[in-house]
Amino acid sequence: MAELKAEDMQDIQGFVISGYAHLPCVSYLLLGISDPPSARGWLARLVNEVTTSEGKELISCLNVALTHRGLRRMGLDEETLDTFSRPFVEGMATQHRSRILGDGTENGPTNWDWGGNLTSEPAKPDETKAVDILLLLFGRDETTLDKLVNEHRARLAQCGLTLVLPLGAGRQPDIHEHFGFADGMGQPAIEGTIQTRDAAPRNVIKTGEILLGYVNDYGKLADSPTLRADLDPQDVLHDQPPVDPTEQARPSGASPPVMRDLGRNGTYLVFRQLAQHVAKFCHYLDEATRTLDEELDSTASDRLAAKFVGRWQNGAPLVLSPDTDDPALSKEDDFGYRDSDAHGFKCPIGSHVRRSNPRDSIGPDAAKALATANRHRILRRGRSYGVRPEDRRVDDGVPRGLHFLCLNADIERQFEFVQQTWINNPVFGGLDGEVDPLVGNLTKGDEIFTVQADPLRTRVHNLERFVTVKGGAYFFLPSLRALRYLASL
Amino acid sequence: MKQTILTFITQVNPDRVSELRTLLDVMGSNVEQNPYIPYLDLKLLHFSSLVLTDDDVYGAYLVFENNFDGELDQYLDDLYAHAAEGLHLIYSCCLDYPAGSATEKTQLLSYLRAHIVHPNAYHIGNVGRSAVRTQQEDALRDGFEDFLDEVVAQGDVGPASSIRKKVQTLVRSQPAFAWAANVEPRQTPLEYAVPRLKFAIAAVMALLLSPILIPLAIVWIVMLRWTETHEPAPPELDVKEHIKELVKREDRTHIVQNHMCSITTVKPGLFRRATLCGVLWLINLLARTFFDKGELSGIPSIHFAHWSMIDNGRRLLFVSNFDGSWENYLDDFIDKAAFGLTAVWTNTSGFPKTSWLVGEGARDGSRFKAYARASMTYTNVWYSAYTQSTVQTIDNNSRIREDLFRTLDVTAARDWVRRF
Ligand code: HEM
């Protein structure tokens, strides 16, 4: 496919194209709308400050996303609100979603710090945790970020907004998350963008897998929210393409009303706040790898951790480098599992990376398996929050974890699928009764993890919950046009 | 060992629909402990469901799905022995039900018999393995896994052949595992041969009759293409609200399987009805021969699925008991079996635009999913005899047992150990 046009790059929020790795400091402001007219005024001004995808090197960046509830409060009409995708409309915390995401017991929305009561229904009594807007602020250093955050916080009150919760993430010193592993290498690249420049062909996905209004992997236009043209008298939005590009014009009949595409150049943003229990994690690994005479064995402990993740601490994929953390392979993302490791002897079948992207390993043949797995890719944009522990083995009681953010065009087929069918699936890839050792939802008494080996596998028992969900919501990350439209309501 | 798939389909007394619905929902909310049908006592049963559908045209139906081991007579006796009272209460809400009390066995069972619908086509994921055997083999594997953990813990693993020896010794020494040494094969030679013979006869007949069949096929193709190009475009479906209802019972915690029941209206006219009938016949032929090893056209996750043309061929009932999420199941369908499933459902109203019976159709992923969701009915009651097992794990467990005492060469012994 051709490159996306310059005018589209001006329209797409920069967060889609870049995770702003050059800006190590970040803060997420979760906002509520108290006075819609002022909030629209705020948005009208904000649009001019939103970072686009044009690729300028900036010292700070700003992006903005809204929940379904937020869109309604902004004044979007019900008919249009209904054209958004079902998971987004219903929110992250319905009973069914909690089941498929594994948000039971400790992970359950009732225990969340924010977002838990976020439903599409208007006006619930306890709205303290509900979120309308997510403001993402990035800075080159603390000073730059603080200035930006303060400036925006100062604006809120007179703009009809409330601060539900500031999620300060602070500085991310490097690409390692709190368990100690390099993160962010396994990533799809959006066709038609600069992301494809360094990407292996196997990781390139159709534009419509992430951006709404473009052709997706089925060769169809990604489902996109639309509105009647008469609701957009100032022609802020694009017309919806008349028919799917692959489809013949429909047989004659009353021509349907012209619709405007509210979703084009936008995407859905999934946000989950995942607390990490670092000392528990390290302690578990230590205990599980004691030698026959009960000695600690740090090499075995690190190795088991790598088996959990599927990459070594510095990033080398186990499937390519099963015995050492080869620095030359730390960024490598061009590999499969089928040919070199069908049985999981190098990279366990149930490891986090093999579950969250099984690549070419599941299905009758490699090409088909890869094509199928690639329909379930997510563009991850997460960052750690909370300071690094001085000693990972000591529980200092400081809250820390991962602000897991990801982008996708179809929440159900991408994020939720990964979470349900891969991460939390007890029978994933022929396994029998185990879930993702890092982030899976533990529900049985004795949770196990199998490390395949030749001739015989080993299993570790009584896994603990190393990650707990603290909050979450589904957001819509609109195009700049769509933001302007919302501001104009 | 034979497995039987059938449904009892009865019309519900319009005045008692809501009463029956309440009863079924009580059952469904706690299936294993429900007071009407003690499923756990029905040892022949693999999967079973009760679905109450209410249709503007056809009225209210109760669909009672049964996938069980062995022959009908034995199953009915067992059902009656354990659930007479419950069945009586349920069927008292249905039209023409003759029994005055649960003790009238003949009336009750002959009513059921009179309402049997045998599927036009069906698929079984684990052919020849009874429900009891499936559970036993699962427990056996768990026992082996624990034992192998000890072997690993003792740091004395050794080559595959010696691991096998250790497991063999375990089985011989533990009375609880003794059954594992001698179990009948999955199928008798006859059970294996008959479907293949039927297939061969069909092929020979087709060849012999080709002078007649080929011109007929040409006429059929012309009619098909004419129909396809003259049918109105299917409507865009809004299924959000409907899905909200459906998912309430889906993806239950601690069950790796899901259930789906879909009822669609066959497009008007004899042509579509006959085409559908032919397609299902062909699918059934293939399902008995090529697809009897766990996969239906590459889909590895179906335990029991069946298609029945009901209401004199005017509607199509499809019921499936499958592994994993509905999304995953439908994706599998689209990726691996779009050909066959388009050939079936293109004959029903509302299906996405199709060309030449098998083209396009289901490949329009999101339209197809919307169509499939719209066609689904809420499953009121659903029972699975082995909630933690997939088609693949069941097969793996069977092979672990079957190959345990077989003489295996080095490679096969290695592969056997890899099954854990
Ligand atoms: C605190 C929680 C989590 C931690 C610590 C964590 C950590 C990691 C690490 C260390 C990697 C390997 C580096 C890489 O390939 O980029 C990784 C990869 C990945 N993770 Fe996570 N993760 C977490 C939660 C999640 C969740 C909730 C999901 C999805 C729902 C997810 C999806 C993925 C995906 C898709 C990959 C890339 C796999 C690949 O393409 O090979 N992660 N994660």
Side-chain angles (χ1 to χ4, degrees):
Chain A
M1 185 192 134
E3 295 288 298
L4 294 187
K5 294 197 208 72
E7 63 180 52
D8 288 317
M9 296 316 262
Q10 288 162 16
D11 196 30
I12 298 168
Q13 294 206 44
F15 199 49
V16 176
I17 302 300
S18 165
Y20 310 131
H22 63 293
L23 306 177
C25 298
V26 60
S27 200
Y28 307 111
L29 301 185
L30 301 172
L31 309 177
I33 298 174
S34 50
D35 178 45
S38 327
R40 287 193 288 270
W42 167 83
L43 187 59
R45 176 174 162 199
L46 191 81
V47 179
N48 305 315
E49 301 164 29
V50 168
T51 310
T52 66
S53 291
E54 290 156 284
K56 300 182 190 132
E57 276 278 308
L58 302 166
I59 61 161
S60 69
C61 288
L62 178 154
N63 290 108
V64 61
L66 295 95
T67 60
H68 194 253
R69 191 174 175 282
L71 292 172
R72 175 180 281 130
R73 294 204 157 195
M74 271 293 172
L76 198 61
D77 65 292
E78 288 299 320
E79 192 183 328
T80 307
L81 280 167
D82 227 29
T83 62
F84 283 85
S85 78
R86 197 172 57 87
F88 176 69
V89 173
E90 293 178 3
M92 194 184 269
T94 66
Q95 285 187 6
H96 178 245
R97 294 238 132 63
S98 291
R99 286 205 299 277
I100 67 175
L101 297 177
D103 296 345
T105 57
E106 294 131 274
N107 279 348
T110 43
N111 296 330
W112 291 359
D113 296 339
W114 59 275
N117 61 347
L118 190 67
T119 66
S120 52
E121 280 87 48
K124 278 273 169 88
D126 171 27
E127 300 216 312
T128 49
K129 298 193 266 179
V131 175
D132 293 328
I133 297 175
L134 166 67
L135 195 58
L136 307 115
L137 303 170
F138 302 84
R140 175 182 62 176
D141 49 38
E142 282 79 357
T143 331
T144 318
L145 181 68
D146 286 350
K147 191 163 154 275
L148 193 66
V149 171
N150 291 337
E151 189 187 316
H152 281 277
R153 285 181 72 151
R155 273 190 219 171
L156 300 179
Q158 81 248 28
C159 293
L161 298 170
T162 54
L163 183 62
V164 178
L165 196 68
L167 292 176
R171 173 181 279 268
Q172 171 119 8
D174 51 44
I175 61 167
H176 290 247
E177 50 72 49
H178 287 302
F179 293 146
F181 285 82
D183 196 4
M185 293 80 69
Q187 199 76 303
I190 307 174
E191 197 176 77
T193 71
I194 189 157
Q195 292 169 356
T196 58
R197 208 175 44 186
D198 304 317
R202 66 163 77 234
N203 289 321
V204 177
I205 56 173
K206 289 272 180 287
T207 317
E209 289 295 298
I210 304 293
L211 285 167
L212 305 184
Y214 291 84
V215 175
N216 65 18
D217 203 57
Y218 290 109
K220 303 287 171 186
L221 285 178
D223 276 343
S224 186
T226 52
L227 53 86
R228 289 202 322 271
D230 60 290
L231 292 172
D232 177 26
Q234 296 161 35
D235 296 334
V236 180
L237 301 169
H238 285 288
D239 276 355
Q240 186 191 23
V243 288
D244 278 6
T246 53
E247 209 168 85
Q248 302 293 309
R250 287 180 174 268
S252 62
S255 61
V258 180
M259 301 295 279
R260 294 276 153 84
D261 194 344
L262 184 62
R264 189 186 156 82
N265 287 334
T267 178
Y268 290 109
L269 184 156
V270 177
F271 194 149
R272 309 256 290 168
Q273 184 182 345
L274 305 174
Q276 291 176 262
H277 315 301
V278 179
K280 203 173 174 188
F281 180 74
C282 295
H283 186 72
Y284 177 84
L285 294 166
D286 286 348
E287 292 304 317
T289 51
R290 279 190 190 268
T291 60
L292 282 177
D293 30 320
E294 298 296 308
E295 297 293 319
L296 288 177
D297 180 347
S298 69
T299 317
S301 172
D302 288 350
R303 195 181 148 80
L304 181 59
K307 290 281 188 183
F308 277 9
V309 174
R311 285 183 182 257
W312 292 98
Q313 287 212 350
N314 290 323
L318 260 61
V319 64
L320 301 180
S321 179
D323 300 312
T324 53
D325 195 349
D326 183 351
L329 292 169
S330 62
K331 293 263 168 351
E332 189 57 58
D333 193 24
D334 186 10
F335 57 88
Y337 299 105
R338 176 178 294 262
D339 293 336
S340 58
D341 194 24
H343 300 286
F345 297 151
K346 297 174 185 164
C347 178
I349 292 169
S351 64
H352 177 63
V353 300
R354 195 157 169 170
R355 274 184 185 265
S356 53
N357 179 15
R359 300 175 187 241
D360 59 357
S361 63
I362 293 186
D365 67 84
K368 234 184 193 161
L370 180 66
T372 307
N374 271 348
R375 291 194 179 143
H376 309 286
R377 298 297 297 270
I378 49 179
L379 192 61
R380 287 178 302 139
R381 288 280 182 252
R383 292 195 181 204
S384 291
Y385 69 90
V387 288
R388 288 274 165 82
E390 270 175 36
D391 179 350
R392 276 213 300 271
R393 287 178 163 70
V394 177
D395 185 0
D396 57 6
V398 176
R400 58 172 63 85
L402 179 71
H403 286 137
F404 175 88
L405 278 77
C406 77
L407 307 178
N408 51 189
D410 186 339
I411 297 174
E412 202 167 13
R413 173 163 63 84
Q414 294 168 281
F415 167 70
E416 289 183 350
F417 186 100
V418 173
Q419 188 85 21
Q420 179 187 16
T421 302
W422 291 344
I423 288 186
N424 278 326
N425 182 359
V427 288
F428 171 84
L431 297 170
D432 193 8
E434 62 183 271
V435 295
D436 187 303
L438 279 194
V439 296
N441 181 32
L442 313 183
T443 55
K444 302 193 303 181
D446 173 19
E447 295 284 346
I448 54 164
F449 175 70
T450 307
V451 183
Q452 288 83 23
D454 199 14
L456 182 61
R457 93 288 177 285
T458 56
R459 301 196 299 176
V460 289
H461 286 265
N462 294 309
L463 256 64
E464 291 165 54
R465 198 184 282 276
F466 306 125
V467 168
T468 323
V469 187
K470 287 289 171 195
Y474 291 144
F475 294 90
F476 172 52
L477 186 80
S479 67
L480 273 78
R481 273 176 195 264
L483 287 173
R484 278 193 197 97
Y485 174 75
L486 292 171
S488 77
L489 286 171
Chain B
M1 206 265 328
K2 182 183 167 177
Q3 290 144 313
T4 305
I5 297 181
L6 52 80
T7 46
F8 305 110
I9 303 184
T10 48
Q11 275 184 299
V12 182
N13 181 342
D15 299 332
R16 305 190 64 176
V17 171
S18 66
E19 181 189 338
L20 181 58
R21 180 166 293 129
T22 311
L23 187 157
L24 295 179
D25 285 338
V26 167
M27 283 181 77
S29 61
N30 188 358
V31 190
E32 295 192 350
Q33 261 72 49
N34 87 79
Y36 302 99
I37 303 183
Y39 285 110
L40 294 174
D41 295 337
L42 302 177
K43 301 291 182 207
L44 299 172
L45 202 55
H46 290 256
F47 291 90
S48 178
S49 70
L50 283 158
V51 172
L52 175 61
T53 78
D54 210 348
D55 184 273
D56 293 343
V57 182
Y58 293 90
Y61 281 29
L62 177 66
V63 180
F64 181 14
E65 177 207 10
N66 302 265
N67 308 288
F68 57 87
D69 294 319
E71 301 291 345
L72 176 65
D73 290 349
Q74 196 191 352
Y75 175 68
L76 281 180
D77 275 344
D78 200 38
L79 193 61
Y80 183 83
H82 290 103
E85 209 52 63
L87 290 173
H88 179 69
L89 282 174
I90 292 168
Y91 284 105
S92 296
C93 300
C94 293
L95 291 181
D96 307 324
Y97 178 66
S101 83
T103 52
E104 295 173 24
K105 180 173 181 183
T106 328
Q107 271 90 336
L108 202 165
L109 291 189
S110 57
Y111 180 74
L112 285 182
R113 280 179 198 279
H115 290 90
I116 290 178
V117 174
H118 291 284
N120 293 60
Y122 65 89
H123 170 75
I124 299 176
N126 301 103
V127 173
R129 274 147 289 180
S130 71
V132 170
R133 180 168 148 194
T134 302
Q135 290 160 342
Q136 282 178 325
E137 285 176 344
D138 190 51
L140 187 72
R141 187 227 171 118
D142 284 348
F144 289 179
E145 294 276 13
D146 291 344
F147 173 72
L148 291 173
D149 281 346
E150 285 169 35
V151 172
V152 173
Q154 283 154 11
D156 164 32
V157 173
S161 58
S162 88
I163 298 170
R164 273 173 62 76
K165 278 216 185 70
K166 286 181 183 135
V167 180
Q168 288 164 350
T169 317
L170 173 80
V171 169
R172 291 210 180 89
S173 65
Q174 294 247 347
F177 293 154
W179 64 271
N182 32 43
V183 178
E184 291 161 27
R186 300 176 190 183
Q187 288 182 296
T188 61
L190 200 65
E191 280 171 345
Y192 183 81
V194 167
R196 283 160 178 80
L197 202 67
K198 280 191 191 156
F199 186 87
I201 294 173
V204 171
M205 291 292 279
L207 215 63
L208 290 177
L209 295 176
S210 57
I212 315 172
L213 288 180
I214 290 173
L216 273 178
I218 292 171
V219 174
W220 175 80
I221 289 172
V222 172
M223 285 176 72
L224 174 76
R225 201 51 201 151
W226 189 89
T227 321
E228 280 176 353
T229 45
H230 288 76
E231 274 165 355
E236 293 290 332
L237 299 165
D238 183 5
V239 288
K240 278 199 187 113
E241 286 306 312
H242 187 51
I243 294 178
K244 244 190 218 172
E245 277 306 305
L246 293 174
V247 297
K248 282 188 182 156
R249 281 276 163 78
E250 286 180 8
D251 307 307
R252 288 191 266 166
T253 324
H254 300 297
I255 299 191
V256 300
Q257 305 127 357
N258 265 306
H259 185 257
M260 123 169 221
C261 174
S262 132
I263 299 179
T264 41
T265 309
V266 179
K267 286 173 181 166
L270 207 60
F271 178 76
R272 284 296 188 182
R273 227 182 294 168
T275 303
L276 177 58
C277 198
V279 170
L280 291 179
W281 179 82
L282 204 64
I283 288 182
N284 200 46
L285 200 64
L286 297 174
R288 297 285 73 70
T289 47
F290 292 101
F291 300 135
D292 63 347
K293 289 159 214 71
E295 295 190 350
L296 177 62
S297 172
I299 305 175
S301 54
I302 307 173
H303 291 267
F304 292 87
H306 37 119
W307 290 263
S308 311
M309 292 176 72
I310 57 174
D311 301 313
N312 290 322
R314 288 189 174 78
R315 288 202 291 172
L316 174 66
L317 168 73
F318 172 67
V319 187
S320 181
N321 300 274
F322 57 93
D323 295 323
S325 66
W326 188 88
E327 277 291 317
N328 186 31
Y329 181 51
L330 267 277
D331 281 347
D332 257 3
F333 251 128
I334 296 166
D335 289 344
K336 296 168 185 154
F339 189 91
L341 89 103
T342 301
V344 172
W345 275 285
T346 181
N347 299 300
T348 67
S349 302
F351 191 77
K353 195 169 76 68
T354 301
S355 52
W356 306 103
L357 191 69
V358 295
E360 304 180 61
R363 290 167 191 85
D364 188 347
S366 55
R367 279 222 182 84
F368 169 65
K369 282 182 185 168
Y371 160 85
R373 276 304 197 185
S375 80
M376 280 173 71
T377 60
Y378 183 75
T379 298
N380 302 77
V381 181
W382 178 55
Y383 169 74
S384 157
Y386 31 83
T387 53
Q388 302 302 310
S389 306
T390 63
V391 174
Q392 284 169 304
T393 53
I394 292 171
D395 193 62
N396 193 43
N397 295 347
S398 294
R399 285 167 193 272
I400 286 174
R401 189 196 52 73
E402 288 164 349
D403 293 345
L404 175 61
F405 289 108
R406 227 168 247 163
T407 332
L408 301 182
D409 62 24
V410 177
T411 329
R414 189 200 63 192
D415 290 346
W416 185 86
V417 176
R418 286 178 184 171
R419 291 189 175 281
F420 293 97

